[in-house]
Amino acid sequence: MEVSMTVNGREVSADVEPRTLLVHFLREELRLTGTHVGCETGYCGACTVHVDGQAIKSCTMLAVQANGSEVKTIEGLASNGDLHPVQEGFWERHGLQCGFCTPGMIMSATALLDENSNPSEDEIRHGIEGNLCRCTGYHNIVRAVEYAGAKMRGEDPPPPDWEGAE
Amino acid sequence: MYPRSFDYVAPNTLAEAFNALGDNCKVMAGGMSLIPLMKMRLFTPGVVVDIGNLPDMDQITDEGDHIKVGALVRHGTTASDGLIAANAQALATAAALTGDVQVRNRGTTCGALAHADIAADQPAGALAADAVMVVESAGGSREVAASDFFVDSLTSACGPQEILTHIKIPKAGEDEGSAYDKLGRRGGHSDYAVAGAAAWVKKSNGSIEAARVALTGVGTKPQLAESVAEALVGTDGSDAAIEAAAQHAVDGVVVLEDLYGSEEYKTHLAKVYVGRAIKQAIANV
Ligand SMILES: Cc1cc2nc3c(=O)[nH]c(=O)nc-3n(C[C@H](O)[C@H](O)[C@H](O)COP(=O)(O)OP(=O)(O)OC[C@H]3O[C@@H](n4cnc5c(N)ncnc54)[C@H](O)[C@@H]3O)c2cc1C
Ligand code: FES
Ligand code: FES
């Protein structure tokens, strides 16, 4: 079946089997391997991308369902080599360890901040409920999102937790 | 993990959809339950009929005496819509507590009802709201009361060649309130209900004139807990009256032990959550 969509601003089309999952289309057909495959059951969120501006799990969507849609992946966030504020936040606040969950986490966090530019800690934790991280304990991920939110609002990010620590 | 091969059609009209629905077919709405089940090869349909392109089905509209919720209304919309909040808070809360953000962006309220998982949230909300399911096929349209819609585990009254095109939620009066609460499988409110309850009450002159209480996660299907409602009606809705009524939570219910709890624990939880839902429903009047 023929599918066409816009991925990170680029028009793409290909002939796929209906059972091709969006994540495999992105990774194998388009070679955009930034989007990860974790659980494949819809639970871990490592495969999160945006379809028409909303965070979705690309392992639980068929490529044919995204026909005609605008898709954004982690590769589409930085512009001209400048990190997106959420990417910068993960860097500055040490929001990752192994990095496996990170692309999905960042896509969920950007969708959250697009809807709510000043989320509370509770709202951040709720907003990334569909993304599992086996390394960080989430604490620094929350700090990374707070950093990004402040940056996107044009404010100074709160100082890192470790500043002034013994 | 790929599903078995299938043919895919995405009709643009309801008539085309009915045409495509033959043997060994599956309707697909948000795909949040269907795709995982197909990947696990528990479902292996020959044809998937994606209703995602059908026009106007993503609308929630005020129809005078009821609210119409179309087949493509996503959980996230049900959770945040003002009409649903005003008329069926239990369903709104159940939608808000369904899965996570990504699931709520894709999964549909009607899909969750048609899917009829024994531990799903929104069926309890629909039961408490006394929603009417409008099921259509090439042969016409029929209406099924929520209390007749959930038949058994993963089995609703919607047949394989039928589409649940919308549900109708009766408008709530000033003296009515409803609520939903659950314990999720991952603790707190996360994931399917280990046990969950929805309640609707109508008050008059300081007493409970009418009530409906629904259970999910506990039995073989989402169902009404009729003895609870009977015990509650006529009382003043005090904490003591709620506590006494909640003791009937599993009367006539076959409580199923599963990975998430023993029969005893689920029975306990059913009473706790029935009590909490009633209390919140009264507060929401
Ligand atoms: C990670 C994850 C977490 C989840 N957590 C929860 C949770 O906490 N609580 C909960 O209740 N659910 C949960 N779910 C399930 C979720 O609610 C599903 O979205 C919902 O059960 C199905 O809706 P859908 O639109 O995605 O339907 P689909 O997956 O497209 O379809 C499901 C079934 O219903 C049928 N169907 C769908 N729409 C119609 C229709 N209009 N007419 C006739 N038949 C139809 C299909 O043929 C199929 O058999 C979770 C799912 C995932 C992946
Ligand atoms: S790989 Fe998609 S949710 Fe885990
Ligand atoms: S950083 Fe390793 S899983 Fe999150």
Side-chain angles (χ1 to χ4, degrees), chain A residues 63-140:
Chain A
V64 289
Q65 284 178 286
N67 191 31
S69 295
E70 296 236 0
V71 178
K72 190 182 258 187
T73 71
I74 188 75
E75 288 92 342
L77 282 189
S79 60
N80 301 322
D82 290 332
L83 293 184
H84 184 280
V86 178
Q87 292 173 303
E88 188 184 313
F90 273 68
W91 177 300
E92 292 293 338
R93 291 297 178 265
H94 198 54
L96 62 144
Q97 289 177 26
C98 79
F100 195 84
C101 70
T102 311
M105 258 326 158
I106 288 179
M107 296 314 285
S108 284
T110 50
L112 169 71
L113 290 172
D114 285 345
E115 256 184 39
N116 177 358
S117 64
N118 196 3
S120 64
E121 166 150 7
D122 223 42
E123 286 168 335
I124 294 172
R125 289 186 183 272
H126 201 55
I128 57 170
E129 199 175 17
N131 295 73
L132 301 180
C133 174
R134 305 318 309 256
C135 303
T136 62
Y138 302 98
H139 184 82
N140 284 359

Side-chain angles (χ1 to χ4, degrees), chain B residues 91-112:
Chain B
L91 183 64
T93 305
L97 301 184
T98 299
D100 49 49
V101 175
Q102 295 96 316
V103 170
R104 292 192 291 276
N105 282 342
R106 297 280 315 150
T108 64
T109 289
C110 285

Side-chain angles (χ1 to χ4, degrees), chain B residues 195 197 215 218 228 242-243 245-251 264-278:
Chain B
L215 267 186
V218 177
V228 176
I242 295 171
E243 170 84 20
Q247 297 314 307
H248 296 280
V250 298
D251 286 8
E264 190 189 354
Y265 181 50
K266 288 203 160 194
T267 302
H268 166 74
L269 287 179
K271 293 175 185 170
V272 170
Y273 281 90
V274 160
R276 288 184 190 176
I278 295 171

